[in-house]
Structures are given as structure tokens and as C-alpha cells.
């Protein structure tokens, strides 16, 4: 149970790290804001033209009498929008990390260098296009796994009592696990740890992962919160990745470079 507190501690440390490095935090907000605008535009389009799409997809209901046609198509339109919203929630982190790969890669490297005893950070040496390809491929694989869990939990949700009490709690822990994997992948991918090995690492310390990812997943349910917590979540996941790999971690200084001088990227001219 101690790992639950340790995982939550990494979440808080990541948020504190970005508050001490304001310029990096500002750059780290950009991918989330871009993703938010894109998703908001897609959901608005779905709300405006979803009914037309449902009418196009259900020509067999054209001759139905009122009110059955309106009720049927109205129900399908509501389901379509709900599915779009659910898909947006499930994919927001993956898409933000993909869009923000250069931003978060730089932030994660800086956290590594800040807490490393020798002031160095691991580097993959791969070109950006290769990093983006690996991130997109692995994110799709994680999305499929999360989707299978979602279908299973949805089916279990129909069980009396258990479906309304135990299943939602399990759902939050599952969400926390996959959310942590997506965030820790930024640091672990730089260390050439592939998806299979990453999942094995996370499963070996599940309570640590739950302590980090579950409260973050709950916070992400609040609109716009994910945008502002993402930079700190990446920083915290980098610290968690170091713990999983058994790497030595020194205390992170506030606005200082590894040699003790002020970090030039965080100093306001």
C-alpha cells in the first residue's frame, strides 16, 4: 500500500516541478490547447450535423409516422454524440502526447537531467519522424487494449449492485493504469523500452501506477483540467519511470541547471 502514496507523490512532484520552471510549463500547455480546440470543433460539428448524418444512415425510417421517426433518430443522434464524447475522453491524452511529442520529449529530458546525479538525460538518438511513428503505433495498441477493457466493464455494468458500485471503481483503476502508461512512455521510449516491456514494468508495481494514474484520471474528468495538468503529469511520469527502472534520483532544484547555475530557459530577461 505504500506504493499508492509514492505514486501520488510523483504526481504532486511533477506539478511542483513545472511550477518552478514556468517557461517550460507554458510551452507544455500548447499541445493540450491545440488538441482541445480540435476536439471542441469536432464535437460542435457533430452536434450541428449529427442529426443529418443519422437521417442519411437510416433511410428506412423516412416513411415512419410521427412521433416514432423523431424519437428513433433523436435517440441515435444522442448516442452518436455520447460515443463521440467518450472517444474524445479516451483519446485526448494519446493525441495530445502525439501532437506534443517534441514539447514533452524536451520537458522529460530536462526533468531527467534535473534529478540525475550526474546531470545527464538518456537520449534515443532516433529522428523525430521515427519517434512519432512509434508513439502513434503504441498509442493505437493501448487504445485497443483500453477499448477491450471498456467493453468488458460496460457488460459487467448490467450486473445488479456490483455493476453500480464495484465496476465503476475498477474502471477508474483501469483508466489510471493506461493513462500512466501513455505518460511514462515519453521517458521510457527514450530509453528504448518497448511497449511489451513497459507494460511488464507497470504491472510489476501496479499500486505505484494506480497511485499516480487514478487520481489523475479522476481530475481529467473535469473539463479543461487535462490541458493544465498535462505538463506536470509528464514530469511526474518521468520521475515514476526512473523509479520503475531503479535509477538513482537526486533532489530536483528550483530553476537551476545541473551545474547549480540558474536554468537559462527559465529565467525571464
Amino acid at each position: 500500500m505504500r506504493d499508492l502514496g509514492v505514486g501520488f507523490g510523483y504526481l504532486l512532484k511533477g506539478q511542483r516541478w513545472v511550477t518552478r520552471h514556468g517557461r517550460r510549463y507554458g510551452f507544455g500547455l500548447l499541445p493540450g490547447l491545440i488538441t482541445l480546440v480540435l476536439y471542441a470543433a469536432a464535437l460542435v460539428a457533430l452536434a450541428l450535423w449529427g442529426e443529418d448524418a443519422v437521417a442519411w444512415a437510416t433511410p428506412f425510417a423516412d416513411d415512419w409516422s410521427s412521433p416514432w421517426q423523431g424519437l428513433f433518430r433523436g435517440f441515435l443522434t444522442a448516442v452518436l454524440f455520447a460515443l463521440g464524447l467518450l472517444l474524445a475522453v479516451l483519446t485526448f491524452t494519446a493525441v495530445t502526447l502525439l501532437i506534443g511529442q517534441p514539447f514533452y520529449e524536451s520537458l522529460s529530458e530536462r526533468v531527467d537531467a534535473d534529478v540525475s546525479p550526474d546531470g545527464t538525460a538518456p537520449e534515443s538518438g532516433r529522428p523525430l519522424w521515427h519517434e512519432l511513428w512509434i508513439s502513434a503505433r503504441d498509442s493505437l495498441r493501448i487504445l485497443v487494449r483500453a477499448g477491450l477493457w471498456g467493453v468488458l466493464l460496460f457488460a459487467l455494468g448490467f450486473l445488479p449492485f456490483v455493476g453500480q458500485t464495484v465496476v465503476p471503481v475498477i474502471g477508474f483503476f483501469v483508466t489510471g493504469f493506461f493513462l500512466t502508461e501513455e505518460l511514462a512512455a515519453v521517458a521510457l521510449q527514450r530509453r528504448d523500452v518497448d511497449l511489451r516491456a513497459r507494460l511488464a514494468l507497470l504491472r510489476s508495481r501496479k499500486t505505484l501506477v494506480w497511485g499516480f494514474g487514478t487520481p489523475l484520471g479522476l481530475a481529467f474528468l473535469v473539463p479543461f483540467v487535462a490541458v493544465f495538468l498535462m505538463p506536470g503529469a509528464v514530469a511526474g511520469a518521468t520521475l515514476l519511470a526512473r523509479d520503475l527502472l531503479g535509477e538513482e534520483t537526486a533532489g530536483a532544484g528550483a530553476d537551476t541547471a545541473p551545474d547549480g547555475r540558474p536554468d537559462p530557459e527559465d529565467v525571464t530577461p
Side-chain angles (χ1 to χ4, degrees), residues 202-226:
L202 295 171
R203 292 190 188 108
S204 69
R205 302 274 301 277
K206 285 193 288 288
T207 51
L208 176 71
V209 172
W210 290 334
F212 180 89
T214 303
L216 185 63
L218 289 170
F220 277 14
L221 293 176
V222 181
F224 309 115
V225 165

Side-chain angles (χ1 to χ4, degrees), residues 83-262:
L83 288 175
L85 188 61
L86 177 62
L87 184 63
V89 171
L90 290 175
T91 61
F92 183 87
T93 299
V95 173
T96 302
L97 289 173
L98 185 62
I99 292 175
Q101 179 73 23
F103 297 92
Y104 295 136
E105 188 78 19
S106 174
L107 188 152
S108 179
E109 282 188 22
R110 186 63 189 86
V111 173
D112 264 325
D114 198 29
V115 302
S116 175
D118 60 2
T120 61
E123 297 180 4
S124 68
R126 291 185 290 263
L128 177 60
W129 69 266
H130 195 190
E131 294 284 358
L132 291 173
W133 161 248
I134 294 174
S135 295
R137 182 195 64 192
D138 290 350
S139 293
L140 181 59
R141 291 175 177 176
I142 289 297
L143 183 60
V144 170
R145 285 177 167 85
L148 292 175
W149 270 100
V151 171
L152 175 61
L153 293 173
F154 178 78
L156 293 175
F158 290 100
L159 295 176
F161 183 71
V162 174
Q164 293 75 49
T165 55
V166 178
V167 172
V169 174
I170 295 175
F172 284 124
F173 280 101
V174 171
T175 300
F177 181 89
F178 286 118
L179 181 58
T180 303
E181 194 287 326
E182 289 278 7
L183 293 166
V186 178
L188 293 174
Q189 185 175 307
R190 238 182 328 108
R191 292 164 166 81
D192 293 322
V193 181
D194 62 21
L195 177 60
R196 187 182 298 273
R198 293 202 300 267
L199 290 173
L201 270 175
L202 295 171
R203 292 190 188 108
S204 69
R205 302 274 301 277
K206 285 193 288 288
T207 51
L208 176 71
V209 172
W210 290 334
F212 180 89
T214 303
L216 185 63
L218 289 170
F220 277 14
L221 293 176
V222 181
F224 309 115
V225 165
V227 174
F228 297 100
L229 292 186
M230 275 294 289
V234 172
T238 301
L239 299 175
L240 182 141
R242 295 181 65 90
D243 189 342
L244 288 172
L245 294 171
E247 297 177 1
E248 186 179 354
T249 298
D255 298 329
T256 57
D259 60 3
R261 292 178 290 106

